[in-house]
Every structure is written in C-alpha cells, then in structure tokens.
Amino acid sequence: MSADAYAVKATAGWRRYLRWNTDHKVIGVQYLVTTFVFFFIGGLLAMLVRSELARPGTDILAGQQFNRVVTNHGSLMIFLWIIPVFAGFANFMLPLMIGARDMAFPRLNAASYWTFLAGGVVMVASFFVGAAETGWTAYVPLSIRAPDGQTVWAVSVIIIGASSTMGGINFITTTLTMRAEGMSFWRLPLFVWSMLATSLLVVIATPVLTASLILVALDRLVGTAFFDVAAGGSPILFQNLFWFYSHPAVYIMILPGMGIISEIFPVFSRKPIFGYKMIALSSMAIAVLGMTVWGHHMFSSGMDPRYRVPYMVTSMIIAVPTGVKIFSWLATIWDGKLRFTTAMLFALGFISMFLIGGITGIFLASIPFDIHVHDTYFVVAHLHFVLFGGSVSAAYAGLYYWFPKITGRMLDENFGKGHFILNFIGANLTYLPMFLAGALGMPRRVADYAPEFARLNQLATLGAAILGVSSVPMLYNIVVSWVKGPVAEANPWQARTLEWQTSSPPQDQNFDVPPVITHDPYDYGVAGPAADRPQSASAAAD
Amino acid sequence: MQATNPPAESQNARRATYALVFVLLAVITAVEVGLSYLGLPRTSLTAPFLMLSLGKASLVAAFFMHLRSDTRFYTYVLVIPALMLLLFALLTAASS
Amino acid sequence: MEHAMATHEDHFRAGKLLGLDHRKLGMWLFIASEVMFFGGLIAAFLTFKLGTPSTDSALLNVAQVGVNTFVLLTSSFTVVLALSAIRAGDQRGLRAFLGLTILLGAAFLSGQAFEFASLYREGLTLTSGVFGSSFFTLTGFHGLHVFIGVVWALRNLIKAMRGGYRAETSIGIELFGLYWHFVDIVWIVLFTIIYLI
C-alpha cells in the first residue's frame, strides 16, 4: 500500500524536478531525464549523418554543414549523454548502495547538475551562431580558424567539465566517508567501485581538457601564440593536452557501464559474481593505466616516433584487466539460473558488442595497423562498438534494471524486448560494415566518398534507421510506464544490494535508521543461512 | 573531524614550528635568488633549484597544510596528481 | 545494537574511522584537480621553454620577483597563524592574521601588476610570441587564484568580525588555509621554472 502512495507522490511532485533541490534522488532524475533528451538530439544528428552518407555525393548536407553535424553529434553524445548519464545513475544509486542518506555535499551536487544543464544549453546554443565544425576533437589550427560557434563550443565544454569535476569530488568523498556500518570496501557493490575509479579519472584528467580549451579560446579571442606555428606554437601540444583527458574519458564512459553489468549478471543468474575482488581491482587498474595511453591517438601526428612504442605497450596492457572482467562475467553467468529480463538481455548484448569493440581496440594499439586505419571508418566502428554497443547497452540495462526503484513503476517487458532486438540488430548492421569500409580506406568525417564504399554505407544507413526506430518502443515505454505503469514493489528483482531494501522510490533520507551491513552483495543461490538474504539484515524491506 | 582543540601551550609549540618553517622558506628563497645572480651556467643550476623548490613546497605542504600530522591519505591525494603532472608535463614538453 | 536517531556526525563515521574529514577530503580533491589544471598550463610553458628558446626570459627581474615570492610565503605564515589563533580561541589573533594575509596577498598582486606593466613596456606581452603567451597565461591564472583567495579571506575576516568562528567551528579557516597554501605552492613551482631555471 505504501508503495502505491509513493508512486502517486512521485508523479504529483514532478515540479520539484524543475527547481533547485539538494536531494540526490531528485538530482539523479534531473540528470537522467536531461541526458536522455541530449541523447535524442545527438541521435537525430546521427540520423542526419547517415542520411547524407546513404549515397555517395553530397546530397543533403554540404561540407561545412556536414562537419558541424558530425562535430556536434560526437560532442553531445560524449559530453552531454554518456558521461553524465552514468553520473545520473550514480547520483541516485550510490548513496543508497552504501547505506547513506545523501551525498557528502548535497549543495555541490545540485550545483553540478545546474552547471551541467547550463553547459548543455550553451553547447546547443552554439548551433545557432554557426556550430563547431572541427570534429569533437577540435584540433588546432583548424579550431583556431573556425567561425565563432567554435568558441561557444569550447566554453560549453569548459562549463560541462567543471560540472563533471564537482561530481567526481562528491562521489569519491561520499564513498570514502559515508559508508554505513559494516560496509567495508570489500562489501561495496561493484557499481560503487566503478564510480570510484571513474571519479578518480574525472578529477585528475578533466582539468587538463579545461586548460587545453582555455588556450584555444585565448588564441581565438586575444591572439596568443600557443598554436600559431608561425610564431613558434605547437599543434601537437594541443593534441597532448586534449588526449590526456580524452583518452581517460573513454574509461569514464565505460567503467560505470561495466559496474552496472556487474550488478545485473549476479541478480539474473542467481549466482555470486565471479572474481569480485579482481573485478574491483581491475576497475582501478584500468583507471590508472588509462592515464598512460593517450599518445596512441597521436601515432600519425608527427610527434617524435620514438614515443610511439611505449604507448603501444601500455595500450595493449590495458586489455588485461578488461579481459579479466569479461572472463569474470562469463564465469558468473555460466551454469546460472538465467532470467532473460530486458536488463539481462542488454547486459548480454553488452558482452558481445563490447568484445568486438575491445578487441579491435587492441588492433588499433598496434602502431603499423593504426597508421593504416587512422582517421578511417575502422576507428568509427571501433568507437561505436565500445561506446554504443558497450556503454549505451549498459545504460539501457541500468534503465531497465533501476527504473522500478527510481519511479516506483515497472517498465513493460515486451516493449523492452522489442527495443533490445531492434537495438541489437540495428547496432551490428550499422557498425560492422564500417570496419570493412575503414580497412578498405574510407576516411571518417567526410560527406562524400568513393563509389566503391556505397554498398557498405547503405547497410550502415539501414542499420541506423533500425536504431532510430528502436528508440520508439523505448520512449513510449518510459513515458507511459512512468505515468501509469504497474506499481513496483521494493525489490522486484529479489536483489541483495541496499538500494533494493528501500521502497520504490525510496523515502526521504532513504533509510529509517542507518542500515548495518552484515553480508556480501552478491551471494545469490549460496546455500545455508546466508541464502538470498539482503546485504543488511537490519534494513527494512518494504 | 573537528580539529582537537589543543591547549594554548601546544599551540605555542606549533607556532614555533611554523616560525621555523617560515624562516627556512625565507632563507631558501634568498639562497635561490642569490644563486641566480652568481652568473653560473643555467644548466648546472637546474638540479639545485629543483631540489630547493621541492624542499620549499614540501615544507609548506607538511607543516602549513598539516600533512605531517593528518592522515597519510591526504598526502597521497596531493602527491599522486603531482607526480602525474610531472610525468605529463615532461612527456608533453618533450614530444610537442 | 541500538539504532539511535542518527545525528549529523554519524553520517560520516566511515570517514572518521579512516581519519578523514569529508570537508577536508573534498578540499584536497579539489586541490588535486587544480594541480592538474596548472599542470596543463605548465606543460604548455615547458613545451615552449624547452622547444622554442627565447631571449625574452632575460627581461625577467629575479630579485624583484624574489621579493614578491617572499611576500606570498609570508602570507602563508600569517594564514597558519590565523588558524592557530582561532584554534586557541583567540578572536583578535584570527582577525589580525587574516587582515595581514589580505594585505600581503594584495601586495603580491600589486607586485605582479607592476611586473606585468614593466614587461609590457619592454615589449613582452600576451601576444608577443610563445614565451609571452605562456608566461602571462600561467602567471595570470595564478594571480587569478590569489585574487580569489584574497576575496575569500576578506569574506572570512568579515565573518570573524561578526564572531562567526569559534575554536570548535574553525574548519572554514582550515579549508581556506589549504587553498591558500596550495596557491603558494603553485607559486613556488612557477618561480622556479619561470624565473630561476
């Protein structure tokens, strides 16, 4: 009965999502809704790109327009969707998972959301003053000479970076200082470990991006000489500064997703996670190693060739902790009592697609191979397999898993499965042909291409159309279910982690009394007194 | 964690330490300025200057910022990014 | 196990067990991010210092800036004395040392302004080349951080004059101090790599 009351309250209180509110659950929803909106805008831009590329020749978008669409597709997806959507999930779930009543700095938390929104608005506003057109990587000297929208874009990224850093500081401090009694580090859910690793990267790497864009802005606005070759400036300096952040950024984009996968597999296999400590430590290893590989984006840049081999080595080593995770997940679901909920399907889809993306990443780490396919569609395929096949699948999995907890309603499983099938077919059809196109020489970021790539591009565009269609059941499901879906119980998945020991959605301040943690998070199907008990024996289930 | 409220006597001991650190900082700065005016070749002074400035920074961090008396964790939060910075700045300067 | 009504302090007990105050940890993490921000600017400066040697650095006046460095170091001393004062309950000491810090910070900024003006007169400007660009950007952002610190100190002084700090509630002064000392450390590094080496 009280779950019903909460469901009613959630919809009645929708106005609080439009105002400054320091409750981490409100801020989490603000982030999630806002990022999904940006996701759809970025998706529309992608549809535009694929429409143009359906046939050779520039039919819909002329060169500069195309460049702007491509640039902002990438920028939106990276800065306004994938990075912050996981901040949204973390905002909602992290305090619950550790048994805390909120984040360590609730006002800083609210500020980080509104800063994020402001940055997003500025980035979208740049469309109207002549958008950025250099690709999201904004290399100099092109980004110095590009029209005014480029400056607005740079400013927006600086603002978004500030928001991200605020969040990172908050997540680390919360995790270290606000764990409930008994929540030792080795009892933390793996999503929390992943957010810890992610936040370390955010705090260390983001400021360097800020510095790089400040230098770009200074060159553009006041005529400094940082990247003016005639005055002694260095374009490679920009690439070093840019990629020092932007490579760790890809781990910022995948680690939380991997954390979500680690949450989902044990629940829907009714088995403990395999290799809990190794997965936790691998997350930290990926974060640390991830800060040493940035030069692999610069193999063809003209930088001193002697620096290339160390980057190749570190880039290949990072496959090891990643592989540890994949094998641990496979061992988790092996011989399990699998329940193929939509969340589980997306988690399984994640494994296959991320694997393709990850392995092609090892190809790209090899200097000679990279020189051959640098700036071709091979790279586009790789990045979309890891980021769309990987991160977005994980975000979808998180959506289907946690929607009941966040909204107090259940999503429809049939629409969910429809979404999954269309998404899986669409993604593979879109991105697999791109590997071949790139290996055969089709460059990226071009509006026109040689006729020999036409068939592959048609396939990719068809796949993209399917992806576009796949968003319909998802959107319909989210909206209708949130308003009038079946009321969710506290623990519809019979999971053990603490967020499921609160009502759906959780009450104000999350817990009546601070929970005392007595068990590990993933002891599913373990025979004996600990069988399927929640993490906290004392936390009241609904 | 609120700082324990130490009685006035131990505050005096702390102040004496602060004063000593301050004097050291001033002396090292004077030495640095002096060295730079001696007309020695710049390259031979690089290592001494780096050591001296590392010394000053460590004094400020250890005593003024209380890293010596606080949990070691804060020291890691400062030192690890600082090492990252060193690695990154040198690699970038060399390869750009 | 009693489940008494959780007081504010209880929420951070995990931190306390690790010896961490959440506000200090937050400030240290912020400082870590600022280390990396200056790292980016320092990387740019060093790129040009090592890659594009210029005679412009001969225009720098080490003795003058050495005095300014001493001023900033002294301000770190006054900050820690301010904290020590309020920890002992000495309100007058807190106000006096905060005031001194503000004066010294302002003096440092004046010294910077003076130096910038004289360099500009000699043709070294933000846009005169890679040395000028990287020099003024790096020292300029540092100066901006000092300025923000002075404003923060002023706000603390006003709060202190209204009796807003007691020995048990002086964490705000400690946090400010961490920021100020960090800005001082950045200057120590900058003084070395820009002026000395």
Side-chain angles (χ1 to χ4, degrees):
Chain A
M1 223 39 240
S2 62
D4 202 59
Y6 274 114
V8 168
K9 257 196 212 150
T11 44
W14 64 270
R15 274 185 196 84
R16 65 199 161 117
Y17 295 111
L18 301 178
R19 286 198 292 263
W20 174 277
N21 188 310
T22 58
D23 183 330
H24 72 101
K25 300 183 288 296
V26 170
I27 296 170
V29 170
Q30 289 172 323
Y31 264 107
L32 289 168
V33 172
T34 309
T35 52
F36 267 84
V37 169
F38 285 126
F39 178 44
F40 281 108
I41 302 176
L44 281 170
L45 292 172
M47 295 300 127
L48 273 174
V49 172
R50 286 312 325 164
S51 302
E52 170 55 50
L53 292 174
R55 287 191 306 251
T58 52
D59 2 55
I60 312 171
L61 296 168
Q64 189 189 44
Q65 281 179 316
F66 181 83
N67 294 343
R68 290 177 175 184
V69 173
V70 158
T71 299
N72 287 286
H73 161 72
S75 304
L76 250 81
M77 291 305 203
I78 291 172
F79 295 118
L80 298 179
W81 157 240
I82 267 295
I83 293 179
V85 73
F86 290 129
F89 281 123
N91 243 307
F92 200 105
M93 295 302 159
L94 198 145
L96 290 166
M97 285 176 146
I98 66 174
R101 53 142 200 186
D102 207 306
M103 299 276 281
F105 306 116
R107 285 174 302 180
L108 183 68
N109 204 14
S112 79
Y113 169 70
W114 290 100
T115 305
F116 161 69
L117 181 64
V121 166
V122 173
M123 184 177 276
V124 172
S126 75
F127 295 4
F128 301 103
V129 296
E133 58 187 45
T134 53
W136 82 278
T137 49
Y139 275 15
V140 301
L142 184 60
S143 58
I144 307 298
R145 299 173 193 162
D148 291 340
Q150 195 79 31
T151 309
V152 179
W153 176 92
V155 168
S156 77
V157 176
I158 291 173
I159 297 173
I160 297 164
S163 154
S164 193
T165 309
M166 289 184 223
I169 292 174
N170 223 341
F171 289 130
I172 295 174
T173 307
T174 304
T175 305
L176 292 177
T177 64
M178 294 186 78
R179 287 161 294 121
E181 188 182 335
M183 180 59 79
S184 66
F185 281 98
W186 296 129
R187 282 188 178 150
L188 284 171
L190 287 167
F191 179 65
V192 179
W193 272 106
S194 73
M195 285 312 301
L196 194 57
T198 303
S199 301
L200 288 173
L201 289 173
V202 167
V203 170
I204 303 261
T206 314
V208 181
L209 178 73
T210 306
S212 77
L213 291 173
I214 286 178
L215 298 186
V216 168
L218 284 173
D219 265 22
R220 287 177 61 88
L221 295 173
V222 303
T224 43
F226 293 107
F227 308 118
D228 179 358
V229 177
S234 169
I236 295 187
L237 170 65
F238 177 80
Q239 293 187 31
N240 271 308
L241 291 170
F242 177 83
W243 287 115
F244 182 79
Y245 166 76
S246 300
H247 189 83
V250 316
Y251 301 114
I252 293 170
M253 292 189 272
I254 196 69
L255 282 170
M258 290 176 159
I260 293 177
I261 301 304
S262 294
E263 294 300 319
I264 285 172
F265 274 153
V267 175
F268 296 110
S269 319
R270 298 326 284 181
K271 280 184 68 196
I273 191 94
F274 183 94
Y276 168 91
K277 274 193 184 165
M278 290 309 290
I279 296 180
L281 291 173
S282 293
S283 302
M284 303 304 292
I286 290 170
V288 171
L289 284 166
M291 288 193 275
T292 64
V293 303
W294 78 90
H296 69 226
H297 298 272
M298 298 166 62
F299 285 155
S300 319
S301 64
M303 82 169 167
D304 189 326
R306 288 170 299 178
Y307 289 106
R308 296 189 297 201
V309 169
Y311 284 121
M312 175 172 86
V313 171
T314 51
S315 303
M316 290 185 167
I317 290 176
I318 208 165
V320 173
T322 312
V324 164
K325 288 192 172 195
I326 304 248
F327 283 112
S328 298
W329 289 322
L330 292 177
T332 301
I333 63 179
W334 188 268
D335 235 9
K337 267 178 65 179
L338 304 187
R339 278 190 294 164
F340 292 102
T341 57
T342 308
M344 182 61 160
L345 288 171
F346 273 108
L348 291 167
F350 170 97
I351 297 285
S352 63
M353 290 197 279
F354 176 76
L355 200 55
I356 294 173
I359 289 180
T360 50
I362 304 179
F363 290 11
L364 288 165
S366 157
I367 297 168
F369 184 79
D370 180 81
I371 290 175
H372 178 68
V373 298
H374 177 69
D375 266 347
T376 69
Y377 260 82
F378 191 95
V379 180
V380 178
H382 156 74
L383 77 91
H384 282 95
F385 266 100
V386 280
L387 290 179
F388 186 82
S391 299
V392 176
S393 287
Y396 286 155
L399 171 73
Y400 286 95
Y401 182 55
W402 279 320
F403 188 89
K405 181 55 54 183
I406 295 171
T407 65
R409 305 273 183 182
M410 298 299 287
L411 281 168
D412 183 279
E413 276 291 305
N414 292 321
F415 278 109
K417 279 155 184 156
H419 174 210
F420 170 75
I421 291 169
L422 287 171
N423 179 277
F424 193 76
I425 294 173
N428 281 291
L429 187 57
T430 307
Y431 303 119
L432 279 172
M434 292 181 184
F435 280 123
L436 193 50
L440 291 173
M442 178 181 171
R444 66 187 288 196
R445 294 182 178 143
V446 289
D448 189 11
Y449 51 81
E452 72 223 49
F453 301 116
R455 180 52 48 84
L456 293 169
N457 273 282
Q458 277 166 6
L459 286 172
T461 297
L462 175 59
I466 295 174
L467 280 178
V469 167
S470 78
S471 64
V472 173
M474 170 178 67
L475 246 173
Y476 179 82
N477 199 358
I478 292 173
V479 172
V480 171
S481 301
W482 203 333
V483 175
K484 52 180 190 168
V487 168
E489 42 179 278
N491 196 354
W493 314 121
Q494 294 95 47
R496 292 170 54 94
T497 43
L498 280 178
E499 77 271 30
W500 302 106
Q501 314 316 320
T502 62
S503 51
S504 296
Q507 66 192 47
D508 207 40
Q509 306 268 305
N510 301 338
F511 302 98
D512 276 327
V513 291
V516 177
I517 283 64
T518 48
H519 295 89
D520 291 337
Y522 306 115
D523 279 347
Y524 299 100
V526 172
D532 276 27
R533 212 183 287 165
Q535 249 195 305
S536 164
S538 67
D542 190 54
Chain B
M1 165 185 68
Q2 264 315 309
T4 50
N5 190 14
E9 309 85 62
S10 78
Q11 277 299 336
N12 283 335
R14 284 172 176 238
R15 283 180 205 141
T17 311
Y18 300 148
L20 177 60
V21 167
F22 171 61
V23 167
L24 278 171
L25 291 170
V27 164
I28 296 175
T29 307
V31 166
E32 288 171 332
V33 174
L35 278 176
S36 78
Y37 277 99
L38 279 183
L40 295 167
R42 292 292 272 240
T43 39
S44 70
L45 285 172
T46 302
F49 280 145
L50 287 173
M51 307 275 277
L52 288 171
S53 69
L54 184 63
K56 284 201 294 188
S58 305
L59 284 169
V60 174
F63 293 100
F64 287 173
M65 299 175 95
H66 301 114
L67 280 182
R68 252 189 113 218
S69 40
D70 278 343
T71 166
R72 187 168 293 180
F73 193 79
Y74 298 139
T75 304
Y76 293 138
V77 173
L78 177 66
V79 167
I80 292 174
L83 289 171
M84 233 12 279
L85 150 56
L86 187 64
L87 176 72
F88 171 68
L90 289 176
L91 252 173
T92 298
S95 65
S96 295
Chain C
M1 163 116 317
E2 329 82 74
H3 295 297
M5 266 317 282
T7 64
H8 175 77
E9 290 308 302
D10 286 348
H11 297 294
F12 298 101
R13 59 181 294 288
K16 293 193 190 89
L17 288 174
L18 293 174
L20 294 170
D21 175 288
H22 66 287
R23 292 158 298 189
K24 276 173 79 167
L25 178 60
M27 177 53 74
W28 275 111
L29 289 167
F30 172 66
I31 287 173
S33 76
E34 290 273 81
V35 167
M36 298 311 295
F37 172 72
F38 277 103
L41 300 180
I42 288 172
F45 179 82
L46 286 178
T47 297
F48 299 123
K49 187 178 179 95
L50 299 175
T52 317
S54 102
T55 49
D56 287 341
S57 50
L59 293 170
L60 301 176
N61 186 330
V62 177
Q64 194 179 298
V65 179
V67 171
N68 224 16
T69 304
F70 174 74
V71 166
L72 199 61
L73 287 171
T74 310
S75 74
S76 261
F77 185 40
T78 54
V79 163
V80 78
L81 287 176
L83 178 62
S84 178
I86 188 59
R87 289 253 184 93
D90 177 3
Q91 296 283 348
R92 261 188 62 207
L94 171 67
R95 293 194 302 267
F97 287 120
L98 277 178
L100 270 175
T101 303
I102 292 166
L103 287 173
L104 289 165
F108 176 84
L109 288 171
S110 313
Q112 288 289 78
F114 183 75
E115 190 207 6
F116 286 6
S118 65
L119 288 172
Y120 258 71
R121 275 194 302 273
E122 308 198 43
L124 182 65
T125 71
L126 185 58
T127 56
S128 64
V130 289
F131 184 83
S133 292
S134 55
F135 170 83
F136 282 107
T137 303
L138 187 49
T139 53
F141 268 99
H142 174 264
L144 176 65
H145 280 74
V146 175
F147 178 76
I148 291 171
V150 169
V151 170
W152 189 350
L154 207 52
R155 175 258 176 204
N156 287 349
L157 178 59
I158 293 172
K159 180 170 171 176
M161 293 191 320
R162 293 183 184 150
Y165 295 107
R166 288 194 325 274
E168 315 81 50
T169 57
S170 58
I171 185 87
I173 301 293
E174 187 174 9
L175 296 174
F176 163 71
L178 288 176
Y179 173 81
W180 191 267
H181 297 306
F182 164 70
V183 175
D184 190 17
I185 289 181
V186 171
W187 183 253
I188 290 171
V189 172
L190 262 44
F191 181 57
T192 305
I193 64 175
I194 299 176
Y195 295 89
L196 294 177
I197 293 184

